[in-house]
Amino acid sequence: MRLAAIALCALLSVGVQAAPRQLDVVPPGGFLNVCASPIGGGSGFWAGDDISSQFSGGVCNTHYFSSGTVSDTASSSGVQISNSAAGAARMGWVQMSAENHSPAATWFAHGGVNGGYTDSLSVNAAGHAGESGYLLLRVAVVGTMWATAEAGGTGFEVVPYVNQAQLSAANPGYDDGTSNHLWATDRQVGAWGVGSAPDSSLAINEVITFSLPVVIGQSMDVGIYTQADAGQRASGGFPGWMANSGLSFTSYLAGASLVLSGQNVASFSIASASGANWAVAAVPEPGVWLLMLAGLGMVVLRRRRG
């Protein structure tokens, strides 16, 4: 469980409309929520949670899928407030981008995206039926985030689930890479965040490894959920203080390996209800890469204009 939290945790609390959450996804399938609001706040939520309360007074566009790709955008505005978000998702990958520009006195204005996918999997290896081990699932994370002015802040996280439950960080082989998550946790999560001081930015291009307990030949539901939020690291401050932030990220399955009795198993297969091959990289389609690059371009343009 999380042992501590600070104001930036609010930025990882991306809200949605009535109860879209990984607990209710029937595999194979998933959801995408794209949201923007002039108010927000709160903490303690994970990617894939029901976090609808965080966009009260704003707009959320929610899509569920069992196959194919879903995508959408959302925006909101107020007095000196402008925020927006865009996203696309399918089995194996998710793309998210968001921006926010607001006075620091605003109650956590933000734009964000939350969603992911769940599939029913069975790991098979000849001669090892019934043995317990770990599936080391790799997820690529590519993107950038920035925060400027006195109170800007943004965050991104990716969380794995097995049979709707989060996983222990003590599992062998788990590696969260360069994650700089700003809270203590005993759960597996890849997370990054930045807060303005007065300006800050971060670029990420890496592969993180989640360690999933498996029993060879037995079915399990595996979910990968992400959320991204651009908003404020604090509310209040002096008159004239501002919060500007933005991010654009793509995450996708990048292959897997199997460990039994502490040894890598060279030959194994993963059967999935969706038909997707979780053992190889699910590289996004060219159109999704163009969407990501367009999002990055807008972030850079807005930053230069700010």
Side-chain angles (χ1 to χ4, degrees):
M1 61 183 296
R2 295 185 180 184
L3 306 176
I6 64 174
L8 187 58
C9 290
L11 302 178
L12 294 176
S13 302
V14 182
V16 295
Q17 67 185 31
R21 56 182 188 167
Q22 64 88 20
L23 284 171
D24 298 324
V25 171
V26 177
F31 67 83
L32 175 74
N33 301 279
V34 184
C35 304
S37 177
I39 59 175
S43 62
F45 297 97
W46 296 94
D49 282 349
D50 170 20
I51 42 185
S52 55
S53 62
Q54 303 314 301
F55 282 87
S56 176
V59 58
C60 282
N61 296 320
T62 303
H63 299 271
Y64 297 88
F65 64 90
S66 58
S67 62
T69 304
V70 295
S71 62
D72 211 334
T73 62
S75 62
S76 74
S77 61
V79 178
Q80 292 186 288
I81 301 171
S82 174
N83 49 47
S84 61
R90 66 174 298 164
M91 193 67 64
W93 56 254
V94 179
Q95 192 278 335
M96 301 178 167
S97 61
E99 279 196 54
N100 180 74
H101 305 272
S102 59
T106 301
W107 186 250
F108 295 109
H110 61 154
V113 189
N114 179 52
Y117 46 90
T118 302
D119 206 350
S120 292
L121 307 181
S122 177
V123 180
N124 302 291
H128 296 280
E131 291 186 29
S132 297
Y134 293 91
L135 181 69
L136 302 185
L137 186 66
R138 295 182 289 277
V139 176
V141 178
V142 182
T144 188
M145 57 176 60
W146 59 267
T148 68
E150 295 82 6
T154 188
F156 175 83
E157 72 175 31
V158 54
V159 179
Y161 295 86
V162 170
N163 297 329
Q164 302 180 329
Q166 289 182 255
L167 305 174
S168 170
N171 287 1
Y174 164 59
D175 182 0
D176 65 356
T178 62
S179 292
N180 66 351
H181 38 72
L182 304 178
W183 65 87
T185 179
D186 60 1
R187 313 288 177 84
Q188 293 186 37
V189 56
W192 297 262
V194 298
S196 58
D199 302 322
S200 184
S201 63
L202 185 65
I204 295 119
N205 184 358
E206 64 178 293
V207 174
I208 59 179
T209 302
F210 295 124
S211 178
L212 285 55
V214 299
V215 177
I216 302 303
Q218 290 189 11
S219 178
M220 61 181 183
D221 293 339
V222 176
I224 302 294
Y225 287 82
T226 61
Q227 62 172 311
D229 196 279
Q232 301 176 206
R233 62 179 174 84
S235 175
F238 296 100
W241 278 21
M242 295 294 293
N244 302 316
S245 58
L247 77 168
S248 184
F249 273 85
T250 295
S251 64
Y252 59 94
L253 297 178
S257 56
L258 178 64
V259 176
L260 298 175
S261 301
Q263 302 296 318
N264 287 326
V265 176
S267 181
F268 72 97
S269 63
I270 303 175
S272 68
S274 70
N277 188 348
W278 284 60
V280 301
V283 179
E285 298 167 352
V288 176
W289 284 114
L290 291 175
L291 177 62
M292 184 189 74
L293 292 173
L296 290 174
M298 288 301 296
V299 166
V300 172
L301 180 61
R302 283 290 187 89
R303 189 176 183 186
R304 286 177 177 174
R305 288 178 175 175

